[in-house]
Amino acid sequence: MQDYANFIGGNWVPAASGATFTTTNPADTRETVARYPLSDAPEFAAAAAAAQKAFPAWAALTPVARGRFLSKASQILEARKADLALLLVREEGKTLTEATGEVQRAADIFRFFGGLSYTVGGQTIPHDLPGNLLFTRREPLGVVSLITPWNFPIAIPAWKLVPALLCGNTVVLKPASQAPAMALELAKVLAEAGLPAGVLNVVTGSGRAFGAEIASNPAIQALSFTGSHGVGTGLYQTLAPRRIRVQLEMGSKNPTIVLADADLDLAARLVAIAGFGLTGQACTATSRVIVERSVLEAFTEKLVALAKTWKVGPGAQPGVQMGPAVNADEFEGNFAAIQQAIGEGAELVWGGARLTEGDLAHGYFMQPAILGKVTPSMQIAQEEVFGPVVVILAVDSFDEAIAVANGVKYGLSASLVTRDFKKAMQYAERIECGVVKVNQISTGLALQAPFGGVKDSSTDSYREQGTAALDFYSRTKTVYFDYSA
Ligand code: NAP
């Protein structure tokens, strides 16, 4: 078992109370993975104070100078990829291939923003009068708080942290209690890359203890949160009186639409990867498949055939395509959602059973589940399940497919499988989502492109990732300079 401490002001420190909590391996709950400080509001306040102290010197550096730390960190991360991926598998449960890809993604994010540092600046705008210079400056906000979920425990902290640092902010990062190791490993990497003390601070502990502290701590100038809709909305309401900048990316109910002209083998493959991959625990996972009735049977047969071959097991085992649910709550929540749907009239087409053979009995393993005869008003067609549970809704036309896809409160990612370019473009225009895919999985993002949701999936104010990320973490100052006299 590994022992971690908080990272505050460049020092590794326990919680003042000495209290700790541990994480367990979701593939084998007999294994304790690591122990962490169970911090409370005072530790968060100490981290905010350390970040505030470090801010002036960090903000005074040029973006290029800040970018050097990021590029160096990228190299260290690459060198540690294999070890970090294994630790990620043990703590969160995803497959080694998925975890290796995620650590690589984090390294690439550091590399991308390290390079981008040469371009971070303002804009020169032609003035109406001669002898006048009109330009903007991009300035940091101050101390930024980041709260992250467990499902991408290194990629999400990285995609928030790196642009925040590049813009000249200092950071207090609070990772999810389910899987905090990666955030602390990022702190180690950045410390080795020479990041000055206090620029990044990482505090572990129950999120509930920190929410009020963020709201009342005057050092915190912005919050970027990724997690559930309930927690995000609560934080938004708590922070509203302070009018600090808040970015929330939250839950979803992502559709993949399969039109009658689609390549059905491709459609089944895309749904299986996006629905069962990452154990369905991705914010962009396909959870609804909206299928034109004329191909409903043929598509369902192909998806079931694939699901039957899907190899479930401990993520570190070669050939495994789907790891366990992350914890008992998520695991039981998946079965409860299936039962609720059946109670409302849905039919379990395939899967959804607990897997208890041999060592699997010690983990949160289940077959992927496919539900048919689902109608748009059922709870399972409206609410996020966050597990490998895919529901199929039949529709009679393209227009109905769009209406059903849009008929939920969320709007994060969507996919369409078709050979009809005209319908594909109409879908791209009409779908209410922040990420729109055609003939691709609903999961998977390009780190250089903007990412975020609409409707209840997001505050829909600023986008994450790509160059768009810089807008949240900086403010624009407009400078009017008359040199004509
Ligand atoms: P969660 O329960 O909302 O937790 C997210 C983070 O918030 C954790 O660090 C948690 O800490 C913290 N937290 C909990 N209560 C808090 C409070 N009152 N004040 C401040 N912080 C608090 O979500 P999760 O279960 O970790 O993640 C799954 C959810 O994230 C799903 O809904 C998924 O769709 C969403 N997600 C969205 C995106 C996206 O980009 N849209 C990406 C990934 C995941 P503790 O762990 O200590 O409770």
Side-chain angles (χ1 to χ4, degrees), residues 86-394:
L86 263 178
L87 179 56
L88 201 167
V89 170
R90 283 172 57 223
E91 196 162 62
E92 197 270 347
K94 63 184 59 173
T95 68
L96 190 55
T97 307
E98 291 164 345
T100 306
E102 191 184 334
V103 179
Q104 181 64 54
R105 171 56 60 103
D108 290 346
I109 289 168
F110 275 87
R111 193 157 52 92
F112 173 77
F113 284 101
L116 198 70
S117 66
Y118 287 91
T119 72
V120 173
Q123 187 191 3
T124 308
I125 303 157
H127 197 281
D128 6 11
L129 299 173
N132 275 265
L133 182 61
L134 178 56
F135 65 98
T136 63
R137 286 170 49 80
R138 197 186 270 281
E139 296 188 347
L141 306 175
V143 180
V144 171
S145 177
L146 310 176
I147 299 184
T148 53
W150 48 263
N151 66 329
F152 289 104
I154 192 161
I156 294 180
W159 83 45
K160 292 183 188 298
L161 169 65
V162 178
L165 294 181
L166 177 57
C167 288
N169 304 285
T170 53
V171 169
V172 181
L173 166 62
K174 186 268 178 270
S177 301
Q178 185 69 48
M182 290 299 113
L184 289 158
E185 292 293 336
L186 278 180
K188 274 190 207 167
V189 165
L190 277 161
E192 276 177 48
L195 194 77
V199 171
L200 167 64
N201 306 274
V202 184
V203 185
T204 59
S206 164
R208 246 168 273 147
F210 301 139
E213 182 57 34
I214 296 172
S216 62
N217 192 315
I220 305 293
Q221 293 300 308
L223 167 71
S224 180
F225 166 91
T226 297
S228 61
H229 180 257
V231 171
T233 306
L235 279 166
Y236 201 62
Q237 285 163 352
T238 313
L239 294 174
R242 283 197 53 208
R243 291 175 289 106
I244 66 171
R245 201 174 279 196
V246 179
Q247 175 183 56
L248 307 175
E249 293 300 336
M250 303 175 284
S252 55
K253 194 73 206 170
N254 311 299
T256 288
I257 299 172
V258 180
L259 295 186
D261 74 327
D263 172 340
L264 295 184
D265 289 310
L266 173 70
R269 207 164 59 244
L270 297 179
V271 168
I273 295 169
F276 311 145
L278 297 153
T279 322
Q281 298 173 145
C283 52
T284 48
T286 289
S287 61
R288 295 181 294 153
V289 197
I290 300 167
V291 187
E292 278 200 282
R293 210 176 296 277
S294 60
V295 293
L296 178 66
E297 211 178 298
F299 168 79
T300 306
E301 268 172 27
K302 286 179 191 294
L303 183 62
V304 168
L306 264 183
K308 284 180 177 168
T309 66
W310 221 248
K311 191 167 176 214
V312 182
Q317 257 176 32
V320 163
Q321 289 164 290
M322 187 176 114
V326 75
N327 61 28
D329 279 356
E330 296 290 343
F331 192 47
E332 296 306 331
N334 295 338
F335 300 118
I338 293 169
Q339 284 315 313
Q340 160 86 24
I342 292 169
E344 286 182 56
E347 177 187 284
L348 183 62
V349 179
W350 193 81
R354 285 168 204 265
L355 296 173
T356 53
E357 208 177 303
D359 278 350
L360 294 188
H362 297 289
Y364 305 118
F365 294 102
M366 65 182 284
Q367 292 171 323
I370 301 166
L371 287 151
K373 295 204 167 67
V374 171
T375 57
S377 61
M378 288 181 186
Q379 186 171 310
I380 201 153
Q382 292 290 326
E383 298 297 334
E384 186 176 51
V385 177
F386 223 54
V389 182
V390 163
V391 305
I392 301 176
L393 298 110

Side-chain angles (χ1 to χ4, degrees), residues 55-62 66 168:
F55 175 68
W58 181 247
L61 293 179
T62 63
R66 295 192 286 259

